[in-house]
Amino acid sequence: MSDKTPTSDIPPDPIYAKSLSVPIFLASLAVLVSTAIAIVDEFQWRRPYKAIQQEWKTVYPNYLEGLAGERRTHVNDVLLELDEYKALTKAQGRASDDSKAARDAIQLQISNVDSKLAVLLEAIKSPRSEIAAESYKAEHAAQVAGMVPVTKDVADAKGYLEKIERINARKMRLEWDEKDGLLADATVTGQTEDTTVGVAIAALVPLQEKKASLQRELGGANGPLSAATARVNAWKTKNLGNIALLLDNLDDEDLSEKIAAKVSEVGAAEYLDRHTTALEAKNLQGEIDRVKDWSVGDLGVSQIHIPDARNWVDRCETCHLNTRAPLAVNASDMGGNNLFASHPRPDELLATHDPNEFGCSMCHNGNGVAVTSAKEAHGYNKYWLMRMFPSPNYETGCNQCHVGELHIENGERITAGKENFRKYGCWGCHKMEGYDPEPAEARLVAKQIADLDAEMQAKQTRIGNLKALLDPVFDADEERFSEMEPENKRQRSALAMEIAGLRTQKAALQRMFHDLNKERKRVGPNLKDVRSKVKRGWITQWVQNPKGWRPSTKMPVFRWHEKGEAEAVAAFLWQSSTDTTDRRAYNIETIAPGDPTAGEAIFDTVGCLACHSIDRGDENVGNDFAANLTNLGEKNHYDYVVRWVENPRHRIAPYCADCATDITPAEFAAGAEKAAFTRDHTNCPNCGHELQWDNPTVMPSFRLSRKEARDVATYLVNQGGGTGVDMSDPAPWLDDKALFEKGKRLVAFHGCAGCHEIAGLEDEGRIGTELSQWGSKPMERLDFGHYTSDAKRGIEPLLDFVAPKDEADGNDTKLFTDSQKYYAGKWYNHRGFILHKLAKPEIFDDAKNLDRPARLRMPRFDLSAQEMIDIATFVMGSIETRFLPESMKYTPDAEGEAIRKGWWVVRKYNCEGCHEILPGTVPAIQELPHFIDGQENAADRPPYLVATGFRTQPGFLASFLKDPSLGGGTKAPKSLRPHLSVRMPTFSFTDSEANALVQFFDAMAKQPAVYQPEPLVPLTAKEEIVAQAIFKGANCTQCHVVTGQAVTEETKAPNLTYSGQRLRPEWIARWLQNPAELEPPTAMPALFRLECGKCKTWYSTDEMANLPEPDTCSNCGEGLGNGRWVYQDKALKAATDYKGDHIDLMVRYLRALAD
Amino acid sequence: MDFQQLWEITTLPDNIPIVLLGILTPFFLWYGFREAVKNDRLIAQLEADPALAKTHHRKHQPYHPAWDKTVHVWPYLLRIEFLACLAVTAFLILWAVYFNAPLEEPADPTLTMNPAKAPWYFLGLQEMLVYFDPWIAGVILPNVIVVGLMAIPYMDTSPLGNGYYTWKQRKFAIGGFMFGYLVLWLALAFLGTFVRGPGWMIFWPGEIWDHHRVVHEVNVHLHELFGLTDTLQIAIFGGVATIGFLAAAGGATDFALRKYKPELFRKMNIVQYVHMVGFLVIMAALPVKMVLKLAFGIKYVWVTPWFNV
Amino acid sequence: MVPKNELDTPGLGEVVEKVQEAKDLHLKWLKNPFETELWRSIFRHKVDDAPRNRSLAVLSNVFLHLHPAKVNRDAVRYTFTWGMGGITFYLFLVLTFTGVALMFYYHPTKADAFRDILYLKNDVPFGNFMRNMHRWAAHAMIITVWTHQMRVFMTGSYKPPREFNWNVGVILLLVTMLLSFTGYLLPDDQLGFWAVTVGTNMARATPLIGHEGPLGPEIGATAFNDIRFAMLGGSIVDANALLRAYIWHCVALPLVAGIFMIVHFWRIRKDGSISGPAPVMLASEVKTAKGRR
């Protein structure tokens, strides 16, 4: 260091002496280390999937090798080899092949006919209009000649008719692009055809008929395929996974012992689940190799790019590596790690929603882009809007596209959620898309009607003005009058025509308005009948606590704060309901009691228990669709029950929508026409608008006679051991006028008018918040009350909450202990909000100092934990899908739309209570003792409706649905299946509901929408004899009946006289050939044999099933396709003489059988 | 007392800077006043012994006549700058790795955040919004602060303390600045971060930020206390009150300065003096208005149809 | 002797000789790189430890000649300046570097802004790191600027002759806070949107030129022509506000900051370099000092 003075006595300069090398070294070390940390963070800590992939590369191959080592025969490998199943699939294959071949052929012909029609129509367009003009002139001439028929001898017409003939004779050249010409007598030269105009025009109608018949054929070809597939599915659901069947069909002895040992060790379900694989040996090995050769480098990020969703990218499969594994892998296979489980139901769910096109987050939401941590990837980080739907609510995502569908295939949980939402009447207080649309549509239609009225009124006044304009001129100035008059008259008649048009429009709208009001259903019964329906002692206790009297009721429990509130509500309901003391005016006559034992028999057999349930001893029998009727006597008056059971739809007093009140007999009497107080007077005496004489209930009428009604009512009113609740209290407060207003306020406050029809509150809206897009409501708008901070921190107020319903069934699943890893405990989200709300509706009012009107009003429903989770799944899924591109939205085709609309009607009226619509489901009524041990054969059960679209003609089905007694009414009901004790009730569907059902069944059986039956070729006398001989020979009337024939013990088949209008000819033919093929549970035998065209050998359906060479005669090799169906009894001489096809004959005979 | 709320606020990624400031500012104040104390001790020693004052090198750092007065920038200055840069880099990298920058939901104009806070460095100004109308708190005050800061060198005439830490010689200047910076800027920013919760209500540490809390505040205007109703009278009254206060405060400051800081008064020309008093009065006006609002619930002092103070 | 034409093909011996020569040269260079012509062309001074070289090291370097050759011996410790000015400048450099890196991925449009931040967070390698670094450096810079101002005040370094430089410093402080404020809005998330909304709501209350300020409406200021509209390019914080904030944040303000920093550094050197630690002055000596009015 430079230094001027001698060094000895100068202290060293501290600046020069001190070195900063140590701090600088440490600082640079710090920088080095932190940079290293940054790099490691980037490539290791922020990429957890690397570790996950390593784990996968060890766990998955080990599992596969475990499988491969101990070659486990897959249960289904063996079962699918069983000849029984083989026959089914062969039949299905044959049905689909020939139906496909037939369908394609027919389709080809139809397209040919279409092209010909197009060419023909184009060619004859101008000549036909010429002829039309000429014939008009001829007609006019005939008219002038005094309305005489248009013939040549009418002077003026003769010229025109000759002109027409000349046009018809005119030469014409048609260019076909098809070889075979169409016109019978035309000379075909290559692709062109010379003919005359007349011939061409004449050819049009047959061509159109040909097209119609081709379409019928097409329908016919579809039928058997859908029936055969239904049969295969039914067998699969019954037998697949049936270990016993497997063991006794396994030829390999030691393997069956090993399996039996394993099954006994682990149990059948566990064995099926854990020890079977869907992969054959060679695929298994292929999969192992695939994973093995990945073991070199790391697999990196695997992503799905979805351009439609604004280039969204899903990287879920970077960690969920087995999502699309070729075989089903579940958590326990992967050592308890749910991460590597495969996607459930790949062939149903992933087939329709291909991940390559949809990605994962379109359905599951979440933050597919992030791979930095599971929490981030699932979107559970604080500010992510599209959080992944957590484990029990996987199916919430379905509702983004399938919002309008009540039944979602492969979506059991969300379908159950939608069903619960409908069943428990949530839509009574909460507006939800698709539920109860009728009132809004009715209001719309009413507005349109008002607009039409206004328009008609305006046009009417203009006619008046025009007339007024004309009159003064008439007497003032003759000449000018004659000049103005024609123009004036023309305008007025034009206006009159327009008014007429508008009037027809209005009539149509009014019919629609009428239908909508009839379709509109309410959650609960009509409370305007309370005074004449229920007993005084019952109503207050019911309002206080419905579950006290009937624990299984769906009516929720309301929270009454002060004493006397229930009394006030009961008083209001009592005083507001119709006062029917003047029984004569209301046509109510006192009814004598009936015979309870007969009543019980009717009640058990006619079908009440398909919806209702009743306690027999300690066991509850029947379905929970409608109320439990035990101890009805404590609640209802006997004569009300009789009237109700006889015709539930009949209102004591009609309701007028415009006057917004019920109309009393006094008003009827005071009205202009002094009309009698009966159903056929449908106009309101005060305002003339249409009255509603129907109750908003789905309960149908079983067309019980008055006696039967009395018997059933007597039985119902006296059964049940009594609930021990004291009903004797005369309840004086019910008539206390002072309580009326208080009661009304409480009823309005609690929104009772949302589910019930109450006098004075008919137009009351829904008091709950709209839930149509609740799923995407920002968190700030969900009021957690004082639990906000607890929710954020995961402090659970209902920690040991068990749903009372579950507790009653002895299952104590706690609702709020889900230990979601990333979701643990914190419930400040949509799912937490709705589950707490359902568990304890008033929870967010806790610790709030609010006076009455501000308090939460939602009553307490008695739901099980599973029902709450399902409802949450559905409601959370109703979101406005900003995230989902339009192109991915589910837009059903016509067939899909028909099925979608149909389900709403089917679920509304509980058709599934009696009928099997989806193959494999067991309707409630078929589990009743009466139908099981009484007559276990299929005869007594309600008809099997799978693929019923192919069996029944749409016209007949619609009319049958509207009136199952086929015109007989209650007096002389005609029955399609007289032997059945269970009765198809009259649901008084509106036309739109009936059509919806018909199209629903057509679509379910894949039938074309338009259907015209084949024209019936009447039988010649000879054929009549042969047909009757066969009819008698086969002794059809042993099981079937014909109108007029008495029903015997053995009758167990439908009435044949309606076959003509009811059944589709194609179906009858198929049915007679092989009944079991179309409807497995049927008892109908196969009465006909197929006769080989050449060697005349006969084949029964079983023999045909296992022919060595399908569809070819075993001894002459001739194709059986052109064989003839003959009646099985060779001895019947009349039959054997008839050379034609016996089945076609019988089909025509049956169709002619109309009564 | 629930201190989880306080912990959540402190550890919120976006509040790390304000917490850091809360640590660094006291440290540097201590670091600076340590030097000031050494210098003040030296000054006292020199003042006591004028002879020494003549020869002393007037610095408390170690000194020897033979040592170089100036040292080479390379390496001696550059090495400590390099050290500082390394330290800052390391700190930043670690901070960036372990704490993610906040990213909330995409902007949604329809969904207001509650509380909607300005960035942490403007919280002082936002706090002023509670006591003044936006035109004062948002526009006048920031400009006064900036102009005030700019005017300081031209008002501070005393050459003492130029280039060295001292407290004894510059009590008034440092006191004034610290009041402005530490109290009115940093303390209010801390208040805005830790104490101002939803609805801009005060939630002391230990209270949970409850969106449902309703605080009943009766805001009354000064003129209402005196029962005035006519707008003209109110305007005049307001003007008199405000200007009166300013004049009184100015007079009091002037009187205090003349009494306790005569030398200051003598060295400044009238323009400098008036500006200094003006800025001091405005700075004092803020806490006075805060007291009026918090203690007496007085919202406006001066109400006119065009503006309010 | 006929000049040998270099272009003739060299014989073997000649080639070997050339290679030998090259080897020697390289060895020489390696032995003492600082003497090589390459070194001297870059650094205009030698490396040895002579005082002349130490000065040249600073003076001949375009960056380092921010500093004088020699400084006050007591200024080479943190105790005086705490290094705050230097750190602030260093943070500014870090911000510029990370800012430019982020600009490669960020589009200031309403549709892309948020998605780009997501893209940075999840897809771009080191993207999240760069964004964090940028944000925390920005907050750190605000802290160091304020602390720097406090230090300059406590050391009285604003006193003559450095008054002007103090004002340049105040402007730089203002620009730093504006830089951070405009940066807050760019991710287009709720935090930024509402923070900026609160901030700009103050602007609409400006007297005369704010549509809600005193005398504003009277002279025709409306929500669509006042100062706030000029700042946001609209009546609410929307696409235009995003674009304007982006341009201020990435181009205009850094440019202004750069210019004022140049003036600031230059004036430091011109006004007598770092002001201390200066020799203390006694009150008694004040009378003689010529105070500048």
Side-chain angles (χ1 to χ4, degrees), chain B residues 14 58-59 71 73 80 89 100-102 104-105 108 120-121 135 149-150 156 158 160 163 165 169-170 185, chain C residues 67-69 71 74 78 80 90 128 131-132 139 146 155 158-159 166-167 180 184 189-190 205 278 281 285:
Chain B
D14 210 45
R58 301 283 184 115
K59 282 200 218 170
V71 293
V73 161
I80 65 163
T89 314
N100 268 333
E104 303 199 354
E105 305 97 334
D108 177 1
W120 60 276
Y121 37 86
W135 70 280
L149 281 175
M150 286 189 166
D156 185 350
S158 135
L160 289 176
Y165 288 95
Q169 292 180 330
R170 296 178 60 227
W185 187 256
Chain C
H67 293 297
V71 283
D74 296 322
Y78 291 126
F80 186 73
Y90 174 70
N128 191 39
R131 180 173 174 254
N132 291 351
H139 288 311
W146 284 356
T155 56
Y158 60 81
K159 294 188 183 225
W166 163 268
N167 288 319
S180 178
Y184 224 72
D189 65 347
Q190 282 284 72
M281 173 191 283
E285 293 146 352

Side-chain angles (χ1 to χ4, degrees), chain B residues 166-194:
Chain B
T166 170
W167 164 249
K168 205 155 69 67
Q169 292 180 330
R170 296 178 60 227
K171 281 201 177 77
F172 178 70
I174 290 185
F177 178 82
M178 286 309 163
F179 176 77
Y181 177 59
L182 293 185
V183 173
L184 290 188
W185 187 256
L186 288 195
L188 287 187
F190 266 84
L191 191 90
T193 311
F194 289 97

Side-chain angles (χ1 to χ4, degrees), chain A residues 474-712:
Chain A
F474 176 74
D475 34 38
D477 174 352
E478 194 65 37
E479 193 251 316
R480 203 165 138 263
F481 169 78
S482 60
E483 189 187 279
M484 275 175 62
E485 197 271 345
E487 176 52 22
N488 190 297
K489 187 165 177 302
R490 193 192 60 70
Q491 276 181 3
R492 270 189 282 117
S493 60
L495 281 171
M497 275 257 284
E498 277 167 29
I499 289 178
L502 289 178
R503 193 165 290 120
T504 43
Q505 260 182 32
K506 181 182 171 188
L509 282 178
Q510 269 167 340
R511 256 199 319 286
M512 195 202 278
F513 182 74
H514 169 78
D515 279 1
L516 281 173
N517 284 328
K518 209 169 166 205
E519 274 170 34
R520 196 245 168 117
K521 297 296 179 265
R522 295 267 189 165
V523 179
N526 178 355
L527 297 189
K528 290 175 180 169
D529 312 347
V530 155
R531 202 187 303 232
S532 54
K533 175 177 177 183
V534 293
K535 296 197 168 140
R536 295 184 67 98
W538 177 81
I539 183 166
T540 312
Q541 300 181 53
W542 175 260
V543 167
Q544 179 66 39
N545 175 14
K547 303 236 187 296
W549 187 66
R550 187 185 302 305
S552 64
T553 180
K554 289 200 276 291
M555 164 109 170
V557 179
F558 287 87
R559 292 186 298 286
W560 308 110
H561 286 265
E562 294 109 22
K563 236 198 116 334
E565 282 190 346
E567 281 73 8
V569 167
F572 164 72
L573 292 178
W574 195 265
Q575 290 160 34
S576 69
S577 62
T578 332
D579 176 2
T580 55
T581 38
D582 177 358
R583 297 170 72 89
R584 206 173 45 68
Y586 280 94
N587 311 341
I588 301 172
E589 69 272 21
T590 48
I591 307 166
D595 163 12
T597 43
E600 182 170 8
I602 297 169
F603 178 78
D604 282 354
T605 56
V606 87
C608 306
L609 288 173
C611 293
H612 285 286
S613 67
I614 200 158
D615 292 349
R616 292 260 167 73
D618 53 8
E619 198 234 348
N620 182 291
V621 174
N623 190 359
D624 70 349
F625 175 79
N628 175 343
L629 298 176
T630 328
N631 303 316
L632 199 63
E634 289 182 3
K635 169 185 174 187
N636 288 19
H637 292 297
Y638 164 71
D639 57 1
Y640 182 88
V641 175
V642 174
R643 278 200 310 281
W644 175 266
V645 164
E646 197 173 14
N647 181 5
R649 283 303 172 73
H650 176 62
R651 295 174 69 100
I652 296 175
Y655 171 68
C656 167
D658 287 284
C659 315
T661 136
D662 278 13
I663 310 301
T664 61
E667 282 164 320
F668 258 75
E673 305 102 13
K674 301 280 186 298
F677 189 69
T678 54
R679 282 186 74 89
D680 34 34
H681 293 278
T682 58
N683 286 77
C684 169
N686 307 345
C687 64
H689 282 91
E690 205 191 323
L691 288 174
Q692 288 164 26
W693 276 96
D694 284 339
N695 259 323
T697 175
V698 285
M699 169 137 174
S701 141
F702 279 85
R703 301 185 299 285
L704 296 176
S705 64
R706 170 50 62 92
K707 166 134 191 5
E708 284 168 335
R710 282 177 33 235
D711 296 347
V712 170

